[in-house]
Every structure is written in C-alpha cells, then in structure tokens.
Amino acid sequence: MQCCQVQSSSFNPSDAKELLARLILELSAPDVIAAKTQWHDPITYERELAVRRTIDESPVIWDMIGYCCTYKPCFVTISLLVRCHLATVSTSWGKALDGPARGLPKEMEASERVMSFLIKADLLPKPLTYIAELFPHIACYEVKLLLDIVYRYIMNSLRKGLTRDSLDQDDMKAVQSVIQQNISAVSEISHKFLCVE
C-alpha cells in the first residue's frame, strides 16, 4: 500500500475522498483491484460474499463507504463493493422467498444500508429512492424483486456514465404491482410512488 503525502496548501477534500475510496477498495477486495474488475464484470457469488464478510468484520468501513458515496467519482471507485453488498443481500432474500421481510432483521438492515448508499450517491430516480420504506411491509420475494430492479438500474447507469434516466416501464409496473399487493400495509406511503422521474 502506498503512502501519499499531501501538502496542506494544496489539500483538496475531493482528493481526500478519492484516496479514502481507493484505500477502502484495497482493504476490502485487493484481488478485485488487481483484476481491474468493473461493476458489470462477472464475479462469483462466493467472491461477493467474501467481500461483504470482510467489510462486516470492520463495520467502520460501511460508514466510510457511505461517506464516499456522496461524491460520484468516489462512488465509481467503490461501486463494486456496493454491487457485492447488493448482490449478496438480494440472494439472501431469494433464498428466504416466503414470509414477511421483517422476519429477517439482519438482511433488512443490510438492504436499507445499501439503499442509503445509492441514495447518497444521487443515482436513483423516484420512486426507487423510496423503496426501502416498503421493505418492512412486504414479503421476502418482493424485497428481492425490488432490489433486482435497483441492481439493473444501477448497472445501466454506470454503463452510461452515471446518467440518471427514468425507470423502465416494465420495472415501474413491477414496483406498482408490489404496492398494489400490499396496499393495506403501505397505503400511508403509497403516494410517494406516484411521482416518477
């Protein structure tokens, strides 16, 4: 790991965030750096899980990732870590399938955390910015469905240079279907999903 000396007269907060992002990536997934892996490159689930476990062992790294997500160039640097987190959480929900999502508090916390990263990075259009509010009220398979929509959206956004496009119509219909299936539980927040970018 290389040390960088920064002159106080030339200190730039953006440079500090970039340095922190690279450090987080090197600590969490050094082999990913060596392979120059990008968000859309194939990675095994076992590798994604190993990255998440490494970060889980040092929870302060999650806080640092959240901090880096506020600056888009840094998000690009650490986006693979966010992708690993999102993919492992989605897989966990897929294995659970039946039952209310609130029955899995650890995965609920992890899902809300990854959504907060993406919201801080200002990458999600409405109504995706609100879907974490649905999680406590819906079934496990529905959380997986919504996280898979987010995953596809972010992948497309990164391929286009972090553009924020409108949500695909089919995906929007899927979000609306989840709301309709659970309207009695989510009626108080359903109005948020009428606003579409």
Side-chain angles (χ1 to χ4, degrees):
M1 197 179 309
Q2 295 179 341
C3 293
C4 296
Q5 292 183 342
V6 180
Q7 299 293 330
S8 58
S9 60
S10 63
F11 177 75
N12 182 333
S14 298
D15 291 341
K17 285 184 180 180
E18 287 275 12
L19 181 61
L20 178 61
R22 288 195 300 271
L23 178 62
I24 292 168
L25 187 60
E26 187 171 334
L27 291 172
S28 307
D31 58 326
V32 168
I33 293 176
K36 297 184 179 178
T37 309
Q38 301 297 317
W39 177 286
H40 54 274
D41 292 339
I43 302 178
T44 64
Y45 174 71
E46 290 76 17
R47 186 68 200 108
E48 291 171 329
L49 195 58
V51 169
R52 181 177 166 191
R53 284 178 179 153
T54 298
I55 300 173
D56 280 341
E57 289 171 2
S58 302
V60 70
I61 295 179
W62 289 126
D63 296 330
M64 291 190 290
I65 290 173
Y67 175 72
C68 289
C69 284
T70 61
Y71 183 56
K72 283 190 180 178
C74 290
F75 177 83
V76 173
T77 301
I78 60 168
S79 64
L80 199 71
L81 302 179
V82 177
R83 169 235 173 125
C84 290
H85 190 49
L86 181 55
T88 56
V89 169
S90 179
T91 300
S92 294
W93 289 118
K95 290 177 180 176
L97 287 180
D98 295 327
R102 64 181 175 274
L104 296 173
K106 184 178 177 184
E107 295 309 316
M108 180 72 69
E109 179 184 2
S111 301
E112 291 170 347
R113 178 170 51 221
V114 75
M115 289 303 301
S116 75
F117 294 159
L118 298 173
I119 291 167
K120 284 180 182 179
D122 194 30
L123 294 177
L124 300 176
K126 295 176 183 176
L128 289 186
T129 52
Y130 304 120
I131 66 165
E133 296 180 44
L134 296 173
F135 295 166
H137 309 288
I138 61 180
C140 295
Y141 75 91
E142 292 170 318
V143 176
K144 176 176 173 45
L145 171 69
L146 295 178
L147 289 176
D148 287 347
I149 289 171
V150 170
Y151 185 93
R152 283 193 302 274
Y153 181 87
I154 295 298
M155 181 174 284
N156 290 334
S157 176
L158 285 166
R159 283 177 174 161
K160 295 176 183 178
L162 291 180
T163 59
R164 192 167 75 180
D165 297 328
S166 297
L167 187 59
D168 176 86
Q169 285 189 348
D170 289 339
D171 286 338
M172 186 63 212
K173 286 178 183 176
V175 172
Q176 291 172 339
S177 175
V178 169
I179 293 169
Q180 289 170 358
Q181 292 292 325
N182 299 278
I183 193 62
S184 61
V186 302
S187 59
E188 292 185 5
I189 58 173
S190 61
H191 66 280
K192 294 181 179 183
F193 297 87
L194 299 175
C195 181
V196 179
E197 289 181 356

